[in-house]
């Protein structure tokens, strides 16, 4: 006969409720007691019945994680970190991919609402009003987006874009281009806002090209447009676009960084494998995944939006309505894809080259959150419509 929760309680010398709490909310149990209960459960071969527990507690111990594009290498570190953090709290994660489609996002939230205790909505393309409406159906934590009244984890891409532009203008570039990302992206708006301000402060021009698909193909397709702007340096929405752009520029006979400098955002693994290695803004994706799980589960009652599996919703003043906003810092990682611009070439013909980049000019000091990799600005009229 299979061991029961009563058997574990008897063997470990604790109340049944303590055994239940050990499996449902282990962070609330004294570590010594928790270890004793878990050891006894292991010895007896006890496994909690999740379905039965869900009927009693109104919790599934499942979390939904909705991703804009699972093929984008930015997301796997976030997914793995979120899964690991959830497992430590005895939760499982269901992952769903929307392929950058806001309609698919909405459908997935509706589909998961009855099967999970909360949803992590990562880089959503839906409108803020729709996201807020969906939060009344299931607890939400938003990643890479700020929605008034909802908990969110954001990576400070504005700070990163500013550091990138300051790095480029410090190298003597005065004609810059920005490859925008997808329409409806909060991250895209933050990058554009910060890059425009930083270019203006450095008396550099900034031509914005977009919106574009946030893919290698999106960057590749824009190479000719970039050349026509006359820009000597480019900041791309993400590393994939920057890598595609470098490929396209090479096909046009333009060399990076001698003819044009390129900076990406994300610091994906591929950015260290390109030739030249990509200068980029590192974003803390793994930390965002862990933090988002903690925000969803930080309160004992944060996932108890159901009075029961078939019951109604709690009031809008419960813990899931916290307005906590966590902002994670980004930093500039200087590699080989950025070099001296025309202004610096004229002003500093004898500029020294850094040891790890023979023949390249010494980069400008990147600021408090930038470092070399250890291994009246105007927004010009754009060839395409600009993302809002």
């Amino acid at each position: 006969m299979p061991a029961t929760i009563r058997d574990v309680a008897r063997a470990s010398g604790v109340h049944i409720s303590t055994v239940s709490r050990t499996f449902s909310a282990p962070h609330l149990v004294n570590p010594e007691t928790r270890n004793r209960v878990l050891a006894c459960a292991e010895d007896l071969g006890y496994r909690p019945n999740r379905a039965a527990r869900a009927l009693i507690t109104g919790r599934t111990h499942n979390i939904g994680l909705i991703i804009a594009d699972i093929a984008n290498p930015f997301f796997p570190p976030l997914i793995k970190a979120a899964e690991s953090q959830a497992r430590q709290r005895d939760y499982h994660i269901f992952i769903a991919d929307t392929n950058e489609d806001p309609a698919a996002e909405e459908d997935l939230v509706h589909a998961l609402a009855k099967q999970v205790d909360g949803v992590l909505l990562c880089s959503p393309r839906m409108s803020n009003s729709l996201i807020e409406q969906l939060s009344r159906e299931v607890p939400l934590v938003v990643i890479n987006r700020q929605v008034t009244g909802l908990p969110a984890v954001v990576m400070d891409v504005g700070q990163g874009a500013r550091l990138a532009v300051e790095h480029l203008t410090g190298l003597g570039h005065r004609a810059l281009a920005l490859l925008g990302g997808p329409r409806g992206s909060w991250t895209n708006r933050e990058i554009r806002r910060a890059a425009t301000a930083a270019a203006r402060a450095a008396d550099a021009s900034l031509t914005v090209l977009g919106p574009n698909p946030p893919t290698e193909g999106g960057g590749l397709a824009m190479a000719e447009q970039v050349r026509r702007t006359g820009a000597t340096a480019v900041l791309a929405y993400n590393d994939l676009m920057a890598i595609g752009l470098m490929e396209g520029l090479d096909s046009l006979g333009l060399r990076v960084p001698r003819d044009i400098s390129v900076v990406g955002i994300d610091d994906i693994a591929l950015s260290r494998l390109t030739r030249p290695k990509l200068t980029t803004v590192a974003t803390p994706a793994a930390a965002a995944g862990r933090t988002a799980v903690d925000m969803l589960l930080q309160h004992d009652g944060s996932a108890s939006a159901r009075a029961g599996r078939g019951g109604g919703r709690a009031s809008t003043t419960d813990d899931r309505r916290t307005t906590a906003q966590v902002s994670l810092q980004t930093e500039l990682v200087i590699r080989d894809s950025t070099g001296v611009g025309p202004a610096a070439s004229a002003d500093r013909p004898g500029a020294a080259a850094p040891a790890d980049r023979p023949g390249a000019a010494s980069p400008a000091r990147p600021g408090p959150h930038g470092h070399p990799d250890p291994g009246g600005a105007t927004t010009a009229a754009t060839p395409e419509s600009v993302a809002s």
Side-chain angles (χ1 to χ4, degrees):
M1 181 176 178
T4 68
I5 191 171
R6 295 179 184 278
D7 296 328
V8 176
R10 188 180 304 110
S12 55
V14 299
H15 194 272
I16 292 175
S17 62
T18 302
V19 178
S20 176
R21 194 176 300 111
T22 297
F23 288 97
S24 63
H27 60 292
L28 299 180
V29 180
N30 177 280
E32 182 180 348
T33 302
R34 182 175 66 233
N35 291 338
R36 186 169 73 252
V37 170
L38 292 174
C40 290
E42 183 68 24
D43 290 341
L44 294 170
Y46 171 74
R47 294 291 181 272
N49 186 321
R50 285 181 173 269
R53 188 171 67 187
L55 288 172
I56 296 171
T57 65
R59 301 185 189 183
T60 65
H61 274 248
N62 296 322
I63 297 171
L65 174 56
I66 298 178
I67 300 292
D69 180 8
I70 204 167
N72 186 328
F74 164 79
F75 290 109
L78 186 152
I79 293 169
K80 288 180 68 67
E83 285 189 314
S84 176
Q85 195 77 354
R87 278 197 302 272
Q88 292 181 31
R89 304 287 289 273
D90 194 31
Y91 275 75
H92 297 302
I93 285 188
F94 296 161
I95 301 168
D97 173 45
T98 69
N99 197 32
E100 301 278 352
D101 183 354
E105 288 175 350
E106 181 182 3
D107 290 344
L108 283 166
V109 172
H110 289 309
L112 288 170
K114 296 286 197 284
Q115 305 175 57
V116 300
D117 296 324
V119 171
L120 308 178
L121 197 55
C122 190
S123 299
R125 305 304 183 216
M126 293 181 288
S127 67
N128 283 2
S129 59
L130 180 54
I131 293 172
E132 199 282 332
Q133 179 182 331
L134 291 171
S135 75
R136 300 174 185 176
E137 184 174 347
V138 63
L140 294 178
V141 171
V142 188
I143 305 173
N144 269 358
R145 178 77 164 265
Q146 288 181 326
V147 180
T148 302
L150 293 182
V153 181
V154 299
M155 287 164 266
D156 195 350
V157 290
Q159 172 200 50
R162 175 180 60 80
L163 291 173
V165 170
E166 289 176 354
H167 170 61
L168 293 171
T169 56
L171 287 169
H173 296 281
R174 291 295 176 266
L176 311 179
L178 172 65
L179 286 192
R183 190 185 304 277
S185 165
W186 175 88
T187 297
N188 187 58
R189 290 194 294 272
E190 287 296 296
I191 292 170
R192 178 177 174 176
R193 175 191 59 77
T196 300
R200 181 179 296 115
D203 195 26
S205 66
L206 180 72
T207 302
V208 182
L209 305 173
N212 299 290
T215 61
E216 183 180 355
L220 178 65
M222 294 303 294
E224 177 60 31
Q225 294 271 28
V226 168
R227 185 178 71 162
R228 290 177 184 174
T229 68
T232 62
V234 183
L235 172 62
Y237 169 81
N238 66 10
D239 287 350
L240 283 180
M241 291 185 68
I243 291 168
L245 174 64
M246 289 198 296
E247 182 181 354
L249 293 172
D250 181 70
S251 69
L252 296 174
L254 296 175
R255 291 167 294 179
V256 176
R258 181 171 299 182
D259 298 320
I260 187 166
S261 291
V262 176
V263 180
I265 295 178
D266 285 343
D267 194 25
I268 61 176
L270 285 174
S271 67
R272 298 182 288 278
L273 302 176
T274 59
R275 292 295 180 270
K277 294 181 180 179
L278 181 65
T279 294
T280 184
V281 174
T283 54
R290 290 189 294 267
T291 303
V293 170
D294 285 343
M295 289 182 74
L296 192 63
L297 304 180
Q298 64 184 335
H299 301 296
D300 186 40
S302 64
S304 59
R306 298 170 180 81
R309 296 311 300 164
R313 290 287 168 182
S315 72
T316 56
T317 58
D318 65 15
D319 287 336
R320 73 187 179 91
R321 299 294 296 177
T322 177
T323 58
Q325 304 277 325
V326 175
S327 181
L328 304 176
Q329 286 188 343
T330 56
E331 61 180 359
L332 180 67
V333 181
I334 300 170
R335 297 196 179 102
D336 302 334
S337 65
T338 49
V340 169
S345 297
D347 297 340
R348 301 184 300 162
D356 65 340
R357 197 165 62 178
S362 177
R365 184 172 64 87
H369 302 295
H371 60 80
D373 184 27
T378 58
T379 302
T382 64
E384 303 177 28
S385 59
V386 175
S388 59

